[in-house]
Amino acid sequence: MIFLLVPLFIILDQVSKILISKYLKYGSKAIFGDWFHLTYVENPGAAFGMLAGRQTFFIVLTVAVVLFFSFFLYKEYGQLNGVEKWAAVCFLSGAIGNLIDRIIYGYVIDFIDITFFGTYHFPVFNVADILISMGAFFFLISVFYRSKA
């Protein structure tokens, strides 16, 4: 069952954050030239630091979304195609990974730091954020696919 990947992805996210916290806390390390760094950041907000300091709001919202989404998946699992299942796995893994940070630390640990074309500095993110983005991407593919059917 594909949903057995959720704990694996959560562990990957949490281990990456633990390692960054241990070896790079409050620092930055160039990995590939000037465009890819590992940079320790404590993000007290949502994406791009929006609504900083609203941890209780984010915790309650995330728990509600994860519970609702899990219940929905339990009821509708047989109706989902492969892309929708991957979307669910990625989204749930990422949401729970960042939820763990919010509960334990009061902020989310971000560390993937990319600069495009030497000038555009993308906001620092983490493995959970990648998973959430992949979930959204797979969901959009599914919506497109179902609209064509």
Side-chain angles (χ1 to χ4, degrees), residues 2-76:
I2 191 171
F3 288 101
L4 294 176
L5 291 173
V6 171
L8 179 67
F9 288 162
I10 293 169
I11 290 168
L12 174 67
D13 172 64
Q14 290 299 301
V15 167
S16 68
K17 292 171 181 175
I18 289 168
L19 291 172
I20 288 297
S21 296
K22 182 175 181 175
Y23 295 108
L24 200 62
K25 192 157 189 167
Y26 306 114
S28 183
K29 172 97 172 124
I31 304 299
F32 296 112
D34 286 339
W35 69 272
F36 183 79
H37 290 77
L38 295 178
T39 303
Y40 179 89
V41 174
E42 296 174 355
N43 181 356
F48 314 119
M50 293 185 300
L51 300 173
R54 307 275 316 260
Q55 292 309 315
T56 303
F57 168 75
F58 290 124
I59 289 170
V60 170
L61 179 64
T62 304
V63 167
V65 168
V66 167
L67 289 174
F68 174 80
F69 200 61
S70 297
F71 179 74
F72 172 78
L73 291 172
Y74 174 76
K75 298 296 271 179
E76 300 296 325

Side-chain angles (χ1 to χ4, degrees), residues 65-120:
V65 168
V66 167
L67 289 174
F68 174 80
F69 200 61
S70 297
F71 179 74
F72 172 78
L73 291 172
Y74 174 76
K75 298 296 271 179
E76 300 296 325
Y77 185 79
Q79 304 299 321
L80 300 177
N81 64 38
V83 174
E84 291 165 337
K85 290 175 183 175
W86 272 105
V89 164
C90 291
F91 179 78
L92 281 174
S93 302
I96 294 169
N98 280 342
L99 176 64
I100 291 168
D101 283 16
R102 291 184 198 288
I103 291 170
I104 293 174
Y105 308 115
Y107 53 83
V108 173
I109 297 171
D110 290 329
F111 60 90
I112 301 170
D113 187 2
I114 297 176
T115 302
F116 294 101
F117 309 112
T119 56
Y120 179 71

Side-chain angles (χ1 to χ4, degrees), residues 142-149:
S142 174
V143 168
F144 179 74
Y145 172 77
R146 284 194 183 259
S147 70
K148 292 277 190 182

Side-chain angles (χ1 to χ4, degrees), residues 112-139:
I112 301 170
D113 187 2
I114 297 176
T115 302
F116 294 101
F117 309 112
T119 56
Y120 179 71
H121 187 86
F122 195 79
V124 182
F125 56 98
N126 61 42
V127 173
D129 297 335
I130 293 169
L131 290 165
I132 292 168
S133 297
M134 287 174 56
F137 176 74
F138 289 140
F139 176 73

